[in-house]
Structure formats: structure tokens, C-alpha cells
């Protein structure tokens, strides 16, 4: 995706908080969410982040503040679900982004009209930003797949198909929740050696550090998406935590894979960073020469040259003891999306190669994004080697898996010399006690 004037790192906004250099929401970002003012009996509507403010797109629509040329896009961006915006062409979405950039930059003649449409982020609450018809979770980190495989198959950690085909399964869209929504520890069947299974609360609860990929324009049933066109079908990305009940999973996953161990909760960050905003952070996608090279439908020159994204990702945990002491969440992981073995375009091409029809707003999870070192592991299952080596937190507490009251916080951002910082905000949720079976 080519760079244009919206990516110029010298651009400044008349919203001063967007110009700090450390803000997730610079004028070069302009991500979308669905929000309303907290405690107000009002409808949810679409918004765009700029600094510490939300540009209320319903107010922009009513004021016709961006001009007739993009009024249809503004109307779609103002809705309580952003599927109509996602269904628009990349050219239409780019035109809206350009209009927003020009309206929000220093010296804009539209400043007075748009300033009246701002709402402080500190005063809002969010909801899931689209009608997610389907949710698919992939397994794109070879480091995660290898680390987990070693726990169960020390001599043969990777299954034969892993390096040939993007592995995934269909999850549960109805239990996807926005950041800040807490959930109860799930119940499920647990099986200890030499005894019958019992129904009880999970005691090996884990997080999974992922990114979510929102489908933009869909494809017709029966028509595959070519890898060369795959990114035209991606609207944007968010942070995603696919919570996992490891002990439930161990008993249920054969022969069809995870079920109750994964469908009880998935947390997503509220802001969708568009693929266009991420263009400065494209990077080459490479794999070892000795590995199988992708089949032709999963391979293109553009995908090899810039199919990966260098998004920095962190995981932090805040225990109840930390919270009581006023201590912030402690970071335990930092990694990058660039380590993924399969790219966004490959996931889209593979998902549709059999004629499966993707629809605007469908969500694809990348799977746990682990890097090559222990400090880059994206799940406690890896960090603690299946619970054998407890993690010691800065305050001296230890964890093998999550306890009640633990909050898990993901953050993500892109940053490098010569480009503006692009951030995703955070994805956070706290584990509540089980509702006993």
C-alpha cells in the first residue's frame, strides 16, 4: 500500500494532544471505534480517535463538516455498527481518511466545525464496533506452535501440515467483548489421570496475545480471494485476547480441536487501525530457505516484499495485590507481529480458497503471537512451560496460570525514525470468580 500525504510525519493537528509524539492517536493514525458518553442515555455511534479526543462522526454527519464528496462515508462511519463502512471500497475509505486528515490538521478551515464534534476519551465508553458474523482463529506463530508442541510432543513439536497450510478453527462470535468488560472463570469438564472427568471451574486459565483482522469488502460465495487482492478485503486491525482454559482444552480437543476451552470469552480493543494507516510499517515476509515454500495461491511478490507488519505488542498483568497497593500492571512480554509465519493476505486467501464467503465485519484472529525468545512468549503456557516453572512478578508474587482478580492488559503500537507513532490503545479484562457449576 503506497504512502501518501496522510502519512507525512511532519503533519500536526490542531488537537494539541495528538502532537506529543507519544500519543497512540496521532493525525497519521485516525482509527475508528463505536462509543457513547459514559453514564448518558444516548445511542452508540462511530467515532475517530485524535489525541485524547473522539471525533463524533454522527455530529460530523449532521454538520456536513467534511463536504459532500465523502458524506456517504461519513454516514457509514457514524453508525452504531461499522459494517457499512467496512463494505466500502478501499478508494472510498481512503477518501474519507484524506478528508479527516485535512480537516484535523493545523490550518484547516474546518477546525471550528470539527472542534464542536469532539468528545474527550476520558468521558466515553465503547462497544464492539461491528456486527461480527463469524470469527476465525488462526495459529500463525511458528514459535508459539513449536513451544506448545514441545510440551506434548518433545521429539516432534510441529505437525506436518503447519508449514504448508495456515491452521485455524471457527470460534464463537457471540462471546466477543470489548476491552474493559470482565468475565467469570469458566466451568468445564476436567480430567485428571486415572479418574473420571468432573465438571468444575477451570484452574489453568490463560491469555493469548493476538491481533484481530476485520474483513472489509467480502467475496461472493464460491469465489476465492486471490492473494494479490487479499488486502483489498481487509479493513483494519485491533488487539485481541483469546482467553483459553488449558485444562478444559487438554481433555476436549481431540479429535476436533478446542470448544468450551475457547468460546467463553474473547476480548478486543475498541479502536480499529486501518490498513492504510499502517502502511509505513510494512516489512518483508521471509521464512527459512529450508522450509516448504507456500503454494502458488499463498504466494505473491508483494506479499514477500511487504506482507508483514512490525507492530510492537506487550502483555502486562495486574494482580489484586498490585491493585490494592496502587501498583500498575507489570509488563511480562514484548514481541512483534512481524514474527508471524503466515501473513494477513495469506489468511484471507486461504480462508476463501474453497469458496467460503467472507462478509464485512467478520473477524480473523492471528493466533498467539510469540517471538523467538522466552521474553517474547504470548501465553503463560509457554512462559511457565505448562505450569512447571512459575513466573515471578516484580512484587514477588508468582503465577503459573491466572488467578481470580488478575487483570491482563495488552498494548500495541508502531514506531520508527521517519514515521509517526501509530497506536492501538489497550485491550484489558479482569478474571472474576467462577459461577460454580
Amino acid at each position: 500500500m503506497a504512502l501518501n500525504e496522510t502519512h507525512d510525519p511532519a503533519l500536526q493537528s490542531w488537537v494539541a494532544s495528538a502532537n506529543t509524539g507519544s500519543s497512540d492517536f496521532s493525525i497519521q493514525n485516525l482509527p475508528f471505534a463505536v462509543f457513547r458518553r459514559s453514564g448518558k442515555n444516548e445511542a452508540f455511534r462511530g467515532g475517530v480517535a485524535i489525541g485524547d479526543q473522539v471525533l463524533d462522526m454522527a455530529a460530523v454527519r449532521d454538520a456536513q463538516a467534511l463536504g459532500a464528496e465523502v458524506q456517504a462515508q461519513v454516514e457509514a462511519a457514524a453508525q452504531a455498527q461499522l459494517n457499512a463502512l467496512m463494505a466500502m471500497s478501499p478508494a472510498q475509505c481512503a477518501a474519507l481518511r484524506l478528508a479527516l486528515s485535512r480537516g484535523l490538521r493545523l490550518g484547516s478551515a474546518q477546525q471550528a466545525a470539527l472542534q464542536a464534534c469532539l468528545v474527550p476519551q476520558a468521558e466515553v465508553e465503547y462497544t464492539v464496533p461491528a456486527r461480527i458474523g463469524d470469527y476465525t482463529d488462526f495459529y500463525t506463530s511458528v514459535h508459539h506452535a513449536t513451544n506448545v508442541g514441545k510440551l506434548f510432543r518433545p521429539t516432534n513439536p510441529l505437525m506436518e501440515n503447519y508449514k504448508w497450510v495456515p491452521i485455524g478453527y471457527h470460534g464463537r462470535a457471540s462471546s466477543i467483548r470489548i476491552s474493559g468488560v470482565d468475565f467469570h472463570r469458566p466451568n468445564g469438564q476436567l480430567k485428571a489421570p486415572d479418574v473420571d472427568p468432573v465438571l468444575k471451574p477451570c484452574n489453568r486459565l490463560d491469555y493469548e496475545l493476538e491481533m484481530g483482522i476485520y474483513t472489509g469488502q467480502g467475496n461472493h460465495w464460491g469465489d476465492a480471494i486471490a492473494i494479490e487482492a487479499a488486502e483489498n478485503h481487509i479493513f483494519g486491525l485491533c488487539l485481541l485476547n483469546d482467553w483459553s482454559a488449558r485444562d478444559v482444552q487438554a481433555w476436549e480437543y481431540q479429535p476436533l480441536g478446542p470448544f468450551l476451552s475457547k468460546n467463553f470469552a474473547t476480548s478486543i480493543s475498541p479502536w480499529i487501525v486501518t490498513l492504510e494507516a499502517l502502511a509505513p510499517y510494512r516489512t518483508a515476509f521471509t521464512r527459512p530457505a529450508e522450509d516448504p515454500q507456500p503454494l502458488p495461491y499463498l504466494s505473491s511478490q508483494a506479499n514477500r516484499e511487504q506482507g508483514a507488519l512490525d507492530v510492537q505488542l506487550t502483555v502486562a498483568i495486574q494482580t489484586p495485590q498490585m491493585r490494592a497497593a496502587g501498583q500498575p500492571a507489570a509488563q511480562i512480554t514484548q514481541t512483534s507481529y512481524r514474527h508471524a509465519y503466515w501473513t494477513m493476505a495469506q489468511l484471507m486467501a486461504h480462508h476463501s480458497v474453497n469458496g467460503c464467503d467472507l462478509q464485512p465485519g467478520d473477524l480473523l484472529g492471528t493466533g498467539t503471537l510469540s517471538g523467538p525468545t522466552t521474553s517474547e512468549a504470548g501465553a503463560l503456557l509457554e512462559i511457565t512451560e505448562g505450569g512447571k516453572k512459575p513466573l515471578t512478578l516484580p512484587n514477588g508474587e508468582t503465577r503459573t496460570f491466572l488467578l481470580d482478580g488478575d487483570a491482563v492488559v495488552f498494548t500495541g503500537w508502531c514506531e520508527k525514525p521517519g514515521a509517526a507513532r501509530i497506536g492501538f490503545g489497550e485491550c484489558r479484562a479482569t478474571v472474576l470468580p467462577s459461577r460454580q457449576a
Side-chain angles (χ1 to χ4, degrees):
M1 189 171 287
L3 302 185
N4 56 48
E5 68 175 83
T6 66
H7 300 107
D8 183 352
L11 286 180
Q12 297 275 291
S13 175
W14 48 261
V15 180
S17 58
N19 304 326
T20 63
S22 59
S23 171
D24 273 357
F25 307 123
S26 62
I27 194 170
Q28 293 84 1
N29 191 350
L30 304 178
F32 294 90
V34 170
F35 80 102
R36 67 183 178 189
R37 289 178 295 170
S38 301
K40 304 290 185 180
N41 185 22
E42 60 185 28
F44 280 103
R45 66 271 195 188
V48 172
I50 180 70
D52 60 5
Q53 303 290 307
V54 181
L55 184 67
D56 184 338
M57 294 303 289
V60 173
R61 173 200 61 201
D62 295 344
Q64 299 186 23
L66 291 181
E69 296 83 358
V70 295
Q71 187 66 9
Q73 292 97 309
V74 170
E75 174 68 36
Q79 301 305 308
Q81 296 176 318
L82 298 180
N83 299 73
L85 178 65
M86 295 173 173
M88 290 185 165
S89 70
Q92 289 174 297
C93 293
L96 175 60
R97 173 178 166 80
L98 180 59
L100 286 164
S101 175
R102 289 175 173 174
L104 290 167
R105 69 183 63 167
L106 277 175
S108 170
Q110 298 154 299
Q111 176 175 344
L114 292 176
Q115 199 156 21
C117 302
L118 294 178
V119 181
Q121 289 182 26
E123 298 177 7
V124 310
E125 60 185 3
Y126 304 97
T127 191
V128 175
R131 181 181 67 259
I132 301 173
D134 279 293
Y135 164 49
T136 303
D137 196 36
F138 283 92
Y139 200 42
T140 67
S141 171
V142 69
H143 304 293
H144 175 70
T146 301
N147 291 338
V148 173
K150 284 178 179 177
L151 297 175
F152 302 101
R153 300 177 303 276
T155 61
N156 185 33
L158 278 185
M159 304 298 286
E160 180 184 8
N161 61 358
Y162 186 86
K163 294 183 176 181
W164 286 98
V165 58
I167 303 299
Y169 73 94
H170 290 283
R172 182 74 182 175
S174 66
S175 53
I176 295 173
R177 293 294 185 272
I178 205 69
S179 174
V181 176
D182 302 330
F183 67 96
H184 291 272
R185 180 178 297 272
N187 299 309
Q189 280 198 24
L190 307 184
K191 174 73 167 68
D194 303 321
V195 296
D196 289 339
V198 295
L199 180 65
K200 62 187 298 187
C202 154
N203 57 30
R204 291 167 66 91
L205 184 63
D206 202 356
Y207 58 82
E208 291 192 346
L209 174 62
E210 304 192 23
M211 299 205 74
I213 302 166
Y214 282 97
T215 301
Q217 288 188 312
N219 60 302
H220 294 294
W221 182 44
D223 291 346
I225 297 173
I227 192 167
E228 293 84 359
E231 291 188 1
N232 292 333
H233 296 266
I234 296 174
F235 179 76
L237 284 74
C238 68
L239 305 175
L240 187 150
N241 187 344
D242 192 38
W243 303 92
S244 296
R246 301 297 187 188
D247 42 3
V248 177
Q249 185 175 0
W251 171 235
E252 75 174 6
Y253 84 102
Q254 293 183 337
L256 294 181
F259 181 35
L260 299 187
S261 57
K262 297 276 194 174
N263 70 359
F264 58 93
T266 300
S267 300
I268 55 173
S269 56
W271 294 105
I272 306 172
V273 178
T274 64
L275 208 54
E276 186 176 5
L278 294 167
Y281 295 95
R282 307 307 291 259
T283 187
F285 166 68
T286 58
R287 60 175 57 183
E290 64 271 18
D291 283 6
Q293 295 308 297
L295 295 179
Y297 81 97
L298 293 172
S299 181
S300 73
Q301 182 176 346
N303 191 63
R304 290 188 294 272
E305 292 178 351
Q306 55 173 8
L309 280 170
D310 189 12
V311 182
Q312 298 299 307
L313 300 164
T314 69
V315 179
I317 293 178
Q318 185 186 47
T319 68
Q321 184 174 316
M322 291 176 181
R323 199 173 302 118
Q327 297 171 342
Q331 182 177 308
I332 59 174
T333 291
Q334 182 170 340
T335 187
S336 172
Y337 184 26
R338 72 176 184 271
H339 295 307
Y341 196 80
W342 298 99
T343 68
M344 301 175 292
Q346 288 173 320
L347 300 187
M348 297 295 289
H350 183 66
H351 203 312
S352 65
V353 73
N354 65 346
C356 174
D357 50 330
L358 300 173
Q359 300 177 349
D362 285 354
L363 187 63
L364 279 60
T366 60
T368 306
L369 294 170
S370 298
T373 67
T374 301
S375 65
E376 297 171 281
L380 285 173
L381 183 69
E382 295 174 74
I383 294 172
T384 68
E385 297 184 10
K388 298 174 185 175
K389 294 185 177 181
L391 168 70
T392 300
L393 298 169
N395 68 348
E397 290 184 272
T398 61
R399 290 292 187 274
T400 51
F401 292 96
L402 297 170
L403 300 182
D404 292 347
D406 287 347
V408 177
V409 185
F410 294 172
T411 61
W413 74 95
C414 304
E415 197 167 29
K416 69 178 181 181
R421 178 186 172 99
I422 302 293
F424 288 78
E426 70 173 27
C427 179
R428 170 192 292 263
T430 300
V431 181
L432 304 175
S434 169
R435 292 171 170 145
Q436 293 285 331

